[in-house]
Amino acid sequence: MTRVCRLGLACLVALLALSACRGDETVTAYGAADKIWRLIEIDGASAPFEATLRFPGAGQIAGDAPCNSYSGAMTVPYPWFDAQEIVATQLACPDIDAETTYLAALTEMTLSEVLGDTLILSTAEGRKMVFKADG
C-alpha cells in the first residue's frame, strides 16, 4: 500500500469517527422527542381535523393524519424543519382532503420551535402549524 493511500484511508477513518460523535441535532434532540404532538392550529385557525406528529428517533417523523398513519425523514439541524420521504398507509376515508391538506402543509414547513409543551412549525412566508404535547 502506498503512503498516499494509507494517508487517505487514515483521513477517511478520522472523518467517519468525527461524524459519529456529532449525534442528533434535529428538533428531536431539542425537546420534541418522547411526545405525541397534536395539531391544534393551522395558519391561524383552529385545526378542523385531528392529526399528530411524533419524533420516534433521530432523523425520523411519524404520526396520524386524518385518515392514515404516516412516517418520513427529518434530518436537518434545529431550528430547521424539512419533512422528507413521507409515506402513508392507503386507507380511504371521508377526510382524505383534510389529510392531503395536512401532509402538504407539513412538507412546506421549514422552521421549528419547541416551547415547553408547544411545537410551532412555520415557513418564511408566514404559514404556521401549532401542536400541543399530550399529557
Side-chain angles (χ1 to χ4, degrees):
M1 191 180 295
T2 67
R3 181 171 189 240
V4 173
C5 185
R6 276 186 252 154
L7 287 175
L9 183 59
C11 289
L12 178 62
V13 169
L15 285 174
L16 288 173
L18 285 174
S19 67
C21 294
R22 189 175 56 162
D24 183 12
E25 294 187 17
T26 68
V27 66
T28 305
Y30 288 85
D34 302 324
K35 297 177 183 172
I36 296 175
W37 298 95
R38 296 206 178 277
L39 180 67
I40 60 164
E41 183 181 303
I42 187 165
D43 294 330
S46 293
F49 50 81
E50 291 190 25
T52 64
L53 175 61
R54 294 180 291 109
F55 300 88
Q60 301 173 341
I61 63 169
D64 293 311
C67 297
N68 293 284
S69 57
Y70 67 92
S71 63
M74 212 292 300
T75 58
V76 295
Y78 186 77
W80 304 111
F81 187 88
D82 184 18
Q84 303 171 3
E85 304 168 17
I86 292 181
V87 295
T89 56
Q90 299 293 311
L91 300 174
C93 82
D95 289 335
I96 200 69
D97 290 338
E99 178 160 308
T100 301
T101 297
Y102 172 73
L103 293 175
L106 191 64
T107 61
E108 289 179 24
M109 298 297 118
T110 57
L111 290 171
S112 62
E113 183 175 11
V114 178
L115 302 167
D117 70 344
T118 302
L119 169 64
I120 301 169
L121 304 180
S122 61
T123 69
E125 296 78 29
R127 295 208 63 200
K128 187 187 295 186
M129 300 174 83
V130 180
F131 296 80
K132 286 285 186 183
D134 276 355

